[in-house]
Amino acid sequence: MGVFGSSAKVYRPAPEVDLGPGSGELYISPNVKAPRVAGLLVKIFVWVLEMPVVGWVLLYILKKDNLINKLVSEAEIPEPPLFTSTHRWEDTPEQNVSLTKPGLSPAERVREAVDCLPTRLESPLAADVPPSSSLKRWTIMDFSRAYSSGETTPVQVAKRFLAAVKECSGPTMNMAFFISCDPEDVLKQAEESTLRYQTGTPLSVMDGVLVAVKDEIDCLPYPTTGGTRWLGKARPCEADAACVAQLRACGAVLAGKTNMHELGAGTSGINPHHGSARNPYNVGKVAGGSSSGSAAVVCAGLCPVALGVDGGGSVRMPAALCGVVGFKPTAGRLSNAGVLPLNWTVGMAGILAGTVEDAVVAYSAIVDQSQPSYLRPELNLPMLTSTPSISNVRLAKYGKWFNDSSEDIRTCCDKALQTLRAQYGWETLDVTVPEIEEMRLAHYVTIGSECTASLAKYLDKLKRSEIGWDVRVALGVYGSFSSRAYLNSQRLRNRQMFFHKEIFKTADVIVSPMTGVTAYTLQDDALSSGELDYINGAALIRYSIAGNFLGLPAITVMVGQDKGGLPIGLQFIGRPWSEATLLHIAFAMQARFNFLSKETTKCGILAPFFLPNPEKK
C-alpha cells in the first residue's frame, strides 16, 4: 500500500498466465494524462520539481499517475530478478542463410554479404533523371559500382555531401542533422579512398561510402557529446568505438557525428543545444529520437547508412518516422566498446539504412566476432537472392496491442500482413503478450536508474544550467527510483523473458507497428527548452521495449504512409540470434511494396545531390 493508498498489483507465477488468443489478460494502454508542456511552462515545472519536499511530492504523484508504484515499485512479484538481457548460445534454425567463417576481417565479411545480395545492373547515374526531379536514395552498391567504373569518385561525392550539409545547416533549412562534421577530415578520407580505387585496391564495397555516426559513439577526431554541451569535455574521446573501427577498416568515409536527443533521454529528437533534427518528409515534423540525426541523414539521401544507439527503440522509432530501415541485433551481437555507457543492460548500437540490403552489408561489417563461439552463435547472413522461397514463416500478433495505434497505422500494417500472407503464404498466429505496460514501466525504471548511475560522477559536479530543461525533468525522475523499484523491474524482466520464449516455441517472429503515431509537429516553443509530451512519447515507444529489455533482435521497415504523407513502419521481433530471418522478412516486405523505386526525398536541395558533375562531362 502506497503513501496515498493505491493498492499494488499481485502477480501470478508466469507459467500460470495464458498466452493464447482467448486469454483474459487485461491489456493496459499507457495511462498518460499529462498535457504537453514546453517553453516557459517547462521551466516553471523544473523549478518546482527541484524544490526540496515539494519536488519529492510532485515526483511521487507523477509516478503514481503513470502506475509505476502500483505495477512495479510496490508490486508483489513471485519471480527472482534477471539483471541482464544476454542470451546463451542457441542453435537457431534459419532458412536460406550463408554461414560465415570465423576469424574473417570486417572487409572479408562484407564480401560474403555482397554475395548474398540480389544483383541489380542499373546505375543511378545512367538513369535519365531531370535535374528538377526527385532522385531515389543511392545504395552502398550504387556507390561501389560508380566508383569502380569511374563514373564518380569518393572525393566528388564528399564535396557534394559537404555542400549539402552546409546548406542544410543554414538558416533557411536549419535541418540540424549533425553536431560535428569536419570537412577536412571527410575530404582526407575521401582522397585516400579515391587513391585506392585508382590503384585498383579498394578495401571493400564500402570503400568511399559515407557513413554517419550518432554522437553517442566514439569516432575520431570528434568529441562524443551525447547531445550535451559538456560531456565531450568531461569524457575525452581517445579511440574509435569498435563498430566505427570496423567500418573504417572497410574503407567507409566517416561523415561526422549526428544529432540526437540530449543523453538519449527522449523520443522526439528535440535538442536545445544543437538544434532539433527535422524530418525530411516534412520539415515541420520531428525526426524522432534519440537517433534523430542518423535517421534524418539516411532519409535525406546524404548517407546510405548511419549508426545509432538503441536503448528504448532509439534506432527503430526514428527510422519508422523517417521511412528508413532500423535494425537492432541481439544483445551481444555487436560490441559496446566505445559507446557511451548510458544504459548497460538495455542499450546497444544499431543500424539505420536506406534499404535492407544496405543494412545487411553494414551489419556484416560491424558484427563482433571477438568472443568465443560458445558464447554466441556464428554469423549467419541472409541469402536475399532466395528470400521468396522461404516458407512456413509464422508471425505472432497480439491484436489488442497491435491495434493500439492510430487508424492510419493500424490499417496500413494490417494490409502489410495480409500482403505477406497472400504473397508468401506466411501464417499469422493470434497470441497474447501479457503485461505490455508493466514491461514498459519496468524498462523505464531500468534505463533511468542505469543512466543516472552511469552519469553520477559527472552530474554531481555539473551546474544544472548546463542541462536542457526537459532532460532535467527526466534526470529528476530517474534519480527518484528506489532499489526496490529497480529490483522489481528485473523481476518483471524475468517474467517477460519467459513469456517471449514461450511464444517463440510456436512463432518465428512477433509483429507489430513500430510506433503508435507518425511524426508529429515540431513546435517553436520547444526548440529552446525541449518539451514534455508524454502522450506522444508513450505512443512512440509503445512497441519498442522487448527489443531492449529482453535483448531481442528487431527490425522496422516502411510499409506505407499516413493521410499526410508521413511514413509508417512495421516491426518484426525475433528469437535471440535470428537476425538473418528478420532481414529476410524485412527484405520480403520491402520487395513486395517496392517503395524504393518510387520514393522521393522531400528536401529539395538533396534530390540532385549525386547527379554527375557537369564539369566531368
Side-chain angles (χ1 to χ4, degrees):
M1 188 75 68
V3 173
F4 296 105
S6 61
S7 59
K9 179 172 180 176
V10 178
Y11 290 83
R12 287 178 291 151
E16 297 180 8
V17 177
D18 183 3
L19 307 182
S23 171
E25 289 295 309
L26 176 67
Y27 173 76
I28 303 176
S29 187
N31 182 31
V32 181
K33 302 175 183 176
R36 176 186 175 275
V37 178
L40 178 60
L41 289 177
V42 79
K43 296 178 182 179
I44 294 173
F45 186 87
V46 170
W47 290 330
V48 174
L49 185 66
E50 294 178 352
M51 291 173 61
V53 182
V54 175
W56 179 89
V57 174
L58 178 59
L59 281 171
Y60 186 91
I61 293 172
L62 284 174
K63 289 187 289 184
K64 181 175 183 292
D65 181 60
N66 66 17
L67 302 180
I68 285 180
N69 287 342
K70 181 177 180 179
L71 299 181
V72 181
S73 305
E74 299 166 3
E76 295 183 23
I77 306 168
E79 285 74 24
L82 177 65
F83 290 103
T84 68
S85 57
T86 54
H87 296 275
R88 294 177 298 176
W89 187 96
E90 295 180 23
D91 186 13
T92 303
E94 295 188 280
Q95 301 180 54
N96 299 357
V97 298
S98 172
L99 177 62
T100 62
K101 301 173 184 177
L104 296 182
S105 69
E108 289 170 333
R109 293 197 301 270
V110 165
R111 281 195 284 275
E112 300 236 338
V114 171
D115 290 340
C116 295
L117 303 183
T119 57
R120 189 174 70 185
L121 299 178
E122 178 188 359
S123 167
L125 292 179
D128 183 16
V129 182
S132 60
S133 72
S134 293
L135 185 68
K136 71 178 183 63
R137 305 184 187 105
W138 274 41
T139 68
I140 291 172
M141 295 306 298
D142 291 334
F143 282 111
S144 178
R145 293 185 187 107
Y147 294 157
S148 297
S149 68
E151 292 177 273
T152 190
T153 69
V155 168
Q156 290 175 316
V157 167
K159 287 180 178 178
R160 292 180 191 137
F161 164 79
L162 292 169
V165 170
K166 183 177 180 180
E167 188 162 356
C168 285
S169 303
T172 302
M173 299 192 72
N174 195 25
M175 296 299 287
F177 289 150
F178 287 90
I179 289 177
S180 304
C181 178
D182 183 341
E184 290 185 9
D185 182 68
V186 172
L187 285 173
K188 179 184 176 184
Q189 295 178 72
E191 288 166 356
E192 293 170 350
S193 177
T194 297
L195 182 59
R196 289 193 290 270
Y197 277 100
Q198 290 172 346
T199 58
T201 58
L203 299 176
S204 75
V205 296
M206 295 197 73
D207 207 328
V209 174
L210 292 157
V211 178
V213 180
K214 183 181 182 182
D215 206 2
E216 195 176 337
I217 303 172
D218 287 341
C219 177
L220 294 173
Y222 305 100
T224 301
T225 73
T228 71
R229 293 188 299 186
W230 54 269
L231 187 55
K233 299 174 184 177
R235 177 194 172 275
C237 174
E238 299 176 347
D240 286 336
C243 53
V244 171
Q246 290 170 304
L247 289 169
R248 204 184 289 276
C250 294
V253 174
L254 285 311
K257 304 297 286 295
T258 55
N259 207 347
M260 60 177 287
H261 205 111
E262 184 179 3
L263 295 177
T267 57
S268 66
I270 296 172
N271 188 311
H273 310 303
H274 303 288
S276 300
R278 295 174 181 270
N279 194 318
Y281 271 87
N282 183 329
V283 298
K285 303 292 184 179
V286 299
S290 61
S291 304
S292 50
S294 290
V297 296
V298 173
C299 174
L302 287 173
C303 302
V305 170
L307 295 183
V309 179
D310 197 314
S314 291
V315 162
R316 293 162 287 143
M317 279 188 292
L321 297 193
C322 292
V324 301
V325 176
F327 178 43
K328 188 208 84 70
T330 307
R333 183 65 92 176
L334 307 181
S335 171
N336 275 342
V339 178
L340 287 181
L342 298 179
N343 31 76
W344 299 286
T345 73
V346 296
M348 65 177 291
I351 297 165
L352 299 103
T355 67
V356 175
E357 298 98 310
D358 284 349
V360 170
V361 174
Y363 170 59
S364 70
I366 66 175
V367 161
D368 180 18
Q369 290 193 305
S370 64
Q371 299 297 319
S373 59
Y374 63 82
L375 293 179
R376 69 189 73 180
E378 294 176 342
L379 175 64
N380 283 335
L381 292 173
M383 299 177 66
L384 299 183
T385 51
S386 61
T387 293
S389 66
I390 290 181
S391 60
N392 301 322
V393 174
R394 297 159 299 174
L395 309 168
K397 173 186 173 184
Y398 178 26
K400 293 179 181 178
W401 182 44
F402 191 100
N403 294 331
D404 193 8
S405 55
S406 72
E407 181 180 354
D408 284 356
I409 291 175
R410 184 167 59 250
T411 301
C412 182
C413 290
D414 262 330
K415 287 182 178 178
L417 284 184
Q418 292 170 16
T419 300
L420 289 178
R421 185 163 53 248
Q423 183 71 17
Y424 303 107
W426 296 349
E427 181 183 3
T428 300
L429 306 176
D430 290 324
V431 301
T432 296
V433 184
E435 302 167 16
I436 291 288
E437 177 65 358
E438 292 87 336
M439 177 168 60
R440 182 184 76 86
L441 295 174
H443 168 269
Y444 183 54
V445 171
T446 301
I447 194 171
S449 300
E450 293 178 359
C451 180
T452 51
S454 171
L455 296 172
K457 62 181 178 181
Y458 306 119
L459 297 177
D460 291 344
K461 304 173 185 177
L462 195 67
K463 293 181 180 179
R464 290 175 177 173
S465 60
E466 291 289 306
I467 306 170
W469 293 96
D470 62 324
V471 176
R472 284 166 70 174
V473 174
L475 292 174
V477 175
Y478 295 168
S480 73
F481 294 137
S482 66
S483 58
R484 182 180 178 187
Y486 186 81
L487 286 170
N488 274 357
S489 295
Q490 310 323 303
R491 287 170 163 162
L492 290 172
R493 192 198 310 245
N494 198 351
R495 290 174 66 83
Q496 285 294 331
M497 196 73 82
F498 174 83
F499 295 148
H500 281 71
K501 286 182 177 180
E502 289 297 304
I503 290 171
F504 285 130
K505 288 180 179 179
T506 57
D508 298 294
V509 299
I510 297 171
V511 63
S512 75
M514 187 60 249
T515 60
V517 294
T518 52
Y520 60 89
T521 300
L522 176 58
Q523 301 191 39
D524 290 343
D525 62 353
L527 297 179
S528 62
S529 66
E531 67 180 4
L532 305 179
D533 188 348
Y534 296 120
I535 294 176
N536 275 320
L540 286 178
I541 204 170
R542 182 163 302 147
Y543 303 100
S544 300
I545 301 305
N548 303 104
F549 202 42
L550 308 181
L552 300 173
I555 192 168
T556 181
V557 63
M558 182 177 171
V559 293
Q561 298 173 335
D562 68 6
K563 293 183 179 68
L566 296 169
I568 293 171
L570 185 68
Q571 175 181 226
F572 302 98
I573 305 167
R575 297 186 183 100
W577 316 114
S578 66
E579 288 87 358
T581 295
L582 288 182
L583 290 162
H584 266 305
I585 293 172
F587 180 68
M589 192 87 267
Q590 173 186 278
R592 180 65 186 126
F593 283 90
N594 199 24
F595 281 117
L596 295 171
S597 63
K598 311 174 203 175
E599 189 176 7
T600 58
T601 178
K602 303 301 188 268
C603 284
I605 69 161
L606 301 183
F609 173 48
F610 289 124
L611 288 175
N613 188 335
E615 295 178 2
K616 183 183 170 188
K617 302 223 174 181

